[in-house]
């Protein structure tokens, strides 16, 4: 970040030329990446857009393709899927015109798959995921892992649990040789959830216990909240409402929790209250879940 700022300051004082614009473009690109990593999403977008304008007048116009992809990625982080699709398609158009699509096909197709999934355009999402999968063999470990994990999530949120199941072991197998404990635990948490949905309780317990032990050791509260929800669901399915209640009470703070995790908890709470004959509370959660679903559906329709 410090070096990128120095690059920008130095180049801003120089007479503008294609080589200077290229350096200045790189500086803003680095700042965009830094702000994206720090979750300063709006600042990241500003940096990328400055870099895009400079790339038009640089000595390396191919830079703009990478910048379009980076900008689209950030809009996906922001859940602005409409803008995300726009920039991925700009990247695809420019890479086609420059005859360099081979270099960028995977991130563009994978990004489009993610963005269309965000607005529940499942057919288009599946189409681009399949296009990206053709390029998967020669990608980096990080890209392979992210693809496999997100492909599993695609089927999970569609409710196709048997189709989701193979993707998480694939992702897990990629990172086990490298000892990436966080990523292994992430996959095991997802596997535990899938096995719970499929009523394979022994496997669900095994993977959930492994995942919980790791995230508890690093006190990663957002994922502990999610795992508590799945463990409570598992307890309810096994006729153990008191154990489900313990999980719910132990992790109930929603500050900083992903809305998708909160939605999963609310649906669990509806079932829990019904099981313990708290029918008024169950009805309250039902109304709340309907309101959330209506809001999500409205946003998706608007996005389409």
């Amino acid at each position: 970040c410090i070096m990128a700022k120095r690059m920008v300051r130095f180049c801003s004082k120089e007479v503008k030329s294609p080589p200077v614009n290229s350096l200045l473009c790189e500086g803003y690109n680095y700042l965009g990446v830094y702000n994206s990593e720090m979750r300063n999403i709006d600042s990241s977008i500003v940096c990328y857009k400055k870099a895009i304008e400079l790339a038009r007048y640089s000595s390396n116009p191919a830079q703009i393709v990478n910048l379009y992809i980076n900008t689209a990625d950030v809009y996906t982080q922001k859940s602005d899927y409409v803008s995300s699709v726009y920039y991925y398609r700009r990247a695809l158009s420019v890479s086609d015109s420059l005859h360099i699509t081979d270099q960028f096909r995977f991130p563009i197709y994978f990004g489009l798959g993610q963005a269309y999934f965000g607005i529940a355009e499942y057919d288009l999402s599946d189409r681009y995921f399949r296009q990206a999968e053709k390029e998967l063999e020669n990608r980096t470990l990080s890209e392979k892992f992210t693809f496999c994990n997100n492909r599993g999530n695609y089927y999970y949120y569609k409710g196709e649990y048997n189709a989701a199941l193979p993707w998480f072991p694939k992702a897990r197998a990629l990172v086990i040789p490298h000892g990436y404990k966080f990523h292994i635990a992430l996959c095991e948490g997802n596997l535990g959830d899938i096995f719970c949905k499929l009523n394979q309780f022994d496997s669900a317990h095994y993977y959930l216990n492994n995942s919980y032990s790791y995230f508890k050791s690093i006190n990663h509260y957002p994922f502990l909240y999610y795992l508590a929800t799945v463990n409570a669901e598992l307890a309810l399915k096994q006729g153990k409402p008191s154990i489900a209640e313990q999980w719910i009470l132990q992790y109930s703070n929603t500050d900083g929790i992903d809305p998708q995790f909160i939605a999963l908890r609310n649906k669990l709470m509806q079932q829990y209250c019904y099981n313990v004959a708290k029918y008024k509370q169950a009805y309250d959660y039902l109304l709340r879940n309907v309101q959330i679903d209506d809001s999500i559906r409205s946003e998706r329709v608007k996005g389409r």
Side-chain angles (χ1 to χ4, degrees), residues 52 56 64-69 72 83-98 108 112:
I52 287 169
R56 300 181 197 278
I64 203 167
V65 179
N66 191 50
L67 290 165
Y68 280 143
I69 292 170
S83 298
S84 178
V85 167
Y86 170 78
Y87 279 100
Y88 282 127
R89 290 198 170 277
R90 290 294 298 154
L92 190 60
S93 174
V94 174
S95 64
D96 281 346
S97 65
L98 295 174
I108 293 172
L112 282 167

Side-chain angles (χ1 to χ4, degrees), residues 12 51 85 96 112 119 133 136 167 193 224 265 268 284:
S12 297
V85 167
D96 281 346
L112 282 167
I119 55 173
E133 190 177 350
L136 192 60
W167 288 100
D193 194 351
L224 289 172
R265 174 65 65 91
L268 167 77
D284 289 342

Side-chain angles (χ1 to χ4, degrees), residues 178-237:
H178 304 275
Y180 295 156
K181 294 181 180 179
F182 183 95
H183 299 82
I184 294 168
L186 177 68
C187 292
E188 291 181 333
N190 289 335
L191 277 169
D193 194 351
I194 293 291
F195 281 122
C196 177
K197 296 290 191 294
L198 294 174
N199 297 323
Q200 297 182 32
F201 300 139
D202 288 344
S203 295
H205 275 296
Y206 174 78
Y207 286 109
L208 288 172
N209 288 342
N210 286 353
S211 185
Y212 179 79
S213 295
Y214 174 76
F215 285 112
K216 182 67 173 175
S217 73
I218 63 170
N219 197 29
H220 192 292
Y221 186 83
F223 214 78
L224 289 172
Y225 176 95
Y226 162 69
L227 289 171
T229 302
V230 181
N231 273 300
E233 180 185 353
L234 184 58
L236 280 182
K237 285 191 167 189

Side-chain angles (χ1 to χ4, degrees), residues 48-250:
Y48 284 139
K49 287 187 175 181
K50 286 181 179 179
I52 287 169
E53 286 305 309
L54 288 160
R56 300 181 197 278
Y57 308 101
S58 73
S59 57
N60 180 16
Q63 283 178 306
I64 203 167
V65 179
N66 191 50
L67 290 165
Y68 280 143
I69 292 170
N70 288 349
T71 307
D73 288 344
V74 175
Y75 273 118
T76 296
Q77 289 181 46
K78 196 179 180 182
S79 299
D80 182 350
Y81 301 112
V82 176
S83 298
S84 178
V85 167
Y86 170 78
Y87 279 100
Y88 282 127
R89 290 198 170 277
R90 290 294 298 154
L92 190 60
S93 174
V94 174
S95 64
D96 281 346
S97 65
L98 295 174
H99 306 292
I100 54 174
T101 307
D102 287 350
Q103 299 176 36
F104 299 103
R105 190 176 283 119
F106 176 83
I108 293 172
Y109 287 155
F110 181 42
L112 282 167
Q114 286 289 101
Y116 281 118
F117 174 60
I119 55 173
E121 281 284 0
Y122 293 122
D123 289 342
L124 274 172
S125 177
D126 185 57
R127 170 186 166 188
Y128 284 111
F129 275 139
R130 291 182 185 278
Q131 293 275 50
E133 190 177 350
K134 294 176 184 176
E135 312 292 325
L136 192 60
E137 184 63 31
N138 298 319
R139 306 311 298 183
T140 66
L141 173 64
S142 174
E143 287 173 321
K144 289 178 180 178
F145 174 84
T146 304
F147 180 87
C148 291
N149 189 64
N150 289 6
R151 193 61 162 132
N153 287 335
Y154 164 87
Y155 287 114
Y156 173 88
Y157 282 104
K158 281 190 71 181
E160 298 178 7
Y161 302 122
N162 282 308
L165 183 57
W167 288 100
F168 296 120
K170 284 182 183 178
R172 182 171 175 265
L174 286 167
V175 291
I176 282 179
H178 304 275
Y180 295 156
K181 294 181 180 179
F182 183 95
H183 299 82
I184 294 168
L186 177 68
C187 292
E188 291 181 333
N190 289 335
L191 277 169
D193 194 351
I194 293 291
F195 281 122
C196 177
K197 296 290 191 294
L198 294 174
N199 297 323
Q200 297 182 32
F201 300 139
D202 288 344
S203 295
H205 275 296
Y206 174 78
Y207 286 109
L208 288 172
N209 288 342
N210 286 353
S211 185
Y212 179 79
S213 295
Y214 174 76
F215 285 112
K216 182 67 173 175
S217 73
I218 63 170
N219 197 29
H220 192 292
Y221 186 83
F223 214 78
L224 289 172
Y225 176 95
Y226 162 69
L227 289 171
T229 302
V230 181
N231 273 300
E233 180 185 353
L234 184 58
L236 280 182
K237 285 191 167 189
Q238 294 184 294
K240 302 173 181 177
S242 60
I243 293 177
E245 184 179 19
Q246 290 174 26
W247 282 111
I248 292 165
L249 293 176
Q250 189 176 359

Side-chain angles (χ1 to χ4, degrees), residues 22-65:
S22 290
L23 281 174
L24 193 53
C25 175
E26 283 300 317
Y28 278 118
N29 182 41
Y30 293 142
L31 289 174
V33 172
Y34 171 79
N35 280 298
S36 173
E37 292 292 329
M38 299 302 293
R39 305 296 296 174
N40 300 325
I41 303 301
D42 291 335
S43 296
S44 180
I45 290 170
V46 169
C47 291
Y48 284 139
K49 287 187 175 181
K50 286 181 179 179
I52 287 169
E53 286 305 309
L54 288 160
R56 300 181 197 278
Y57 308 101
S58 73
S59 57
N60 180 16
Q63 283 178 306
I64 203 167
V65 179

